[in-house]
Amino acid sequence: MTEHNNPVRVVVIGGGYAGTLAANRLRQRADLDITLVNPRPHFVERIRLHQFAARTGDATIDYGTLLGDGIRLAVDSATRIDTATRTVRLASGRALDYDYVVHAVGSTAPPPPSVPDAAGLALPIGEFESARRLRARLDDLPADAPVTVVGGGLTGIETAAELAERGRRVTLVCGRGLAPTLSAPGRRYVAKWLARHGVTVLGTGVVTEVRPDAVVLAAGTADDPAGGTVRPSALTVWAAGFGVPDLAAASGLRTDTLGRLLTDETLTSVDDDRIVGAGDSAAPSGRPLRMSGYAAGPLGAQAADTVLSRIAGTEPAPLDLAFAGVCVSLGRRAAVRQLARKDDTPVNAYIGGRPGAVIKEMTCKYVVAKRIRREAREPGSMSWLKGGPPRVRPASGAREATSP
């Protein structure tokens, strides 16, 4: 192991599931100076934001209960990684010197600019601030006012279900179909639950315009063959698609078309050996994993291990992660636990109803208690399911280990 007279400075940008776990795991070495940069003073459980918006649960946790001793929290936003001077520029005007950076800025869920007025009138559910605005809007909205949720993926389903169980009149506009990541039996279960709870599901509907009191659907779909149907909507929630903060591109680093940092299979930036990606904002070999809390933890751990290997002067291990399925909640008393092959392909088996809800809640608690908090107590303790599908392997000796 390489010896260093001065602490090795590691800046972790982003305090979500991947970044927080990476910061804790880095503490396997005592000679590291670790700073976690996050725009909020608290950890956001993104997988609970639909509960927060509907007032059926909370979605924030005090970092003091999550971070290991010695990790500094900088409540700020990174605006640029200056690779020439090895500094991270912050929105406050401060700059943090680094030897290594973990880029774990996560993902965003803004309405696309191609949909007129969506950005100004629709409320995203993917970030804490927008979920808080949604919560406030719901408080002011009459109980029988029509609410439209745009997006038939897991986030849209969970949001629609949570609101419907609270007695809201909900329309779910799916676009590409309802729950495309689930198996056919799983989709049928979700569709029946939504129907029983009064949710109107437009399985092929596409929103082309958002108005203050309505949404407009595209022509030529099964839900709107004539075109231009205007549906009342006192509140429109956007849960379709993901984006990525532009930090990597703004720093002159190569990204994929969505803005994710391009890395090799060790999560090391293809442009700079001292920058390592993690979570939703990383694209290993241009083949990113599904954006999910499931993948965020292992990617955060992998990123930390890569940094530790480079400091030690050893070759980092390539990415190896297998999937096991997904969970989608349907209010507080039901859920679907979809089983899948290791390559994330769903199989025709799922656990639904109350047992599914129990599994979903256990999974949410496991991410925090058994991964992040345990890693704070026992750095290096986290393991994950491996043996996933073959990925691009880095050529032997393609990168040289660097030391500060």
Side-chain angles (χ1 to χ4, degrees), residues 378-401:
E378 306 171 40
S381 60
M382 179 184 157
S383 59
W384 57 92
L385 184 63
K386 298 183 179 181
R391 293 183 57 87
V392 178
R393 299 295 182 183
S396 177
R399 289 188 179 274
E400 295 179 0

Side-chain angles (χ1 to χ4, degrees), residues 7 32 87 99 128-129 135 160 166 181 192 206 209 214-215 220 243 245 267 274 288 325-326 335-336 353 357-358:
L32 301 190
T87 56
D99 295 303
F128 178 73
E129 289 75 16
R135 177 179 169 126
R166 300 280 285 174
T181 57
K192 289 179 181 178
V206 176
E209 182 184 350
V215 295
L267 301 183
R274 294 179 179 273
V326 298
V336 168
V358 171

